[in-house]
Amino acid sequence: MRNLMLTLAAAGTLLLSACDPSRVYEQNVELPEKSWTVDNAPVFEFAITDTTKRYNVYFNVRYSLAYDYYNLYLQHRLTAPDSSLVSSTLTELHLMDAKTGKPEGKGSSDIYDMQSLALKEIAFPQVGTYRLQLTQYMRRDPLPNILSVGVRVEEAGN
């Protein structure tokens, strides 16, 4: 029964994603043992074919309410097809309201998904495959109760 539910959920996700014309790329990576170690820095590769358009880049985080902090610091490194650096920034994501503790994002029970705009209306100067690496930048290693992280790239203005 559980496998059937997972299969139906995956099929539903595929159907919904097919109806999203602004999305260029979206990928999430599950973290082992529901913890994010500093040395586990997922790399997301996506193709850009139109350099005249502007794009929005989002960071996706799935977390448990057992997460000990209200925020999450991420360091990203975005490189162009020729390996030149496009962007590198430390970003603070607010997973919970600092005063009330109310979780941000969508979820139920104790698991929440949050999508945060990280790069707004960015221009990609070259056609080809870009690489975006995410590293957790908290003082705790491993960082428990972060279940997965990901990246979404979409055309801006849609």
Side-chain angles (χ1 to χ4, degrees), residues 23-149:
R23 185 181 67 203
V24 173
Y25 172 85
E26 189 163 12
Q27 176 85 35
N28 296 300
V29 174
E30 228 175 276
L31 299 171
E33 299 180 22
K34 300 177 182 178
S35 291
W36 194 359
T37 59
V38 171
D39 63 352
N40 181 2
V43 175
F44 303 91
E45 295 185 347
F46 55 93
I48 295 296
T49 58
D50 189 343
T51 59
T52 65
K53 293 183 179 178
R54 297 283 180 167
Y55 298 87
N56 291 327
V57 178
Y58 295 85
F59 296 156
N60 301 332
V61 178
R62 174 173 279 179
Y63 65 98
S64 164
L65 289 182
Y67 183 66
D68 290 334
Y69 309 98
Y70 72 91
N71 63 350
L72 171 64
Y73 285 99
L74 299 178
Q75 175 74 40
H76 83 265
R77 182 175 172 79
L78 176 62
T79 54
D82 67 357
S83 298
S84 63
L85 185 64
V86 175
S87 174
S88 180
T89 306
L90 181 65
T91 303
E92 181 184 18
L93 306 180
H94 292 272
L95 302 183
M96 297 173 203
D97 184 278
K99 291 182 181 177
T100 67
K102 180 182 177 209
E104 301 288 342
K106 297 177 183 175
S108 60
S109 186
D110 67 339
I111 305 296
Y112 279 77
D113 293 301
M114 194 195 74
Q115 189 170 74
S116 181
L117 180 60
L119 300 169
K120 184 176 182 179
E121 295 185 10
I122 186 172
F124 291 107
Q126 303 169 24
V127 169
T129 302
Y130 285 76
R131 294 173 44 97
L132 194 151
Q133 182 177 38
L134 289 180
T135 306
Q136 70 100 333
Y137 214 74
M138 299 293 283
R139 293 182 178 165
R140 190 166 176 188
D141 187 29
L143 185 60
N145 299 304
I146 299 293
L147 312 179
S148 68
V149 293

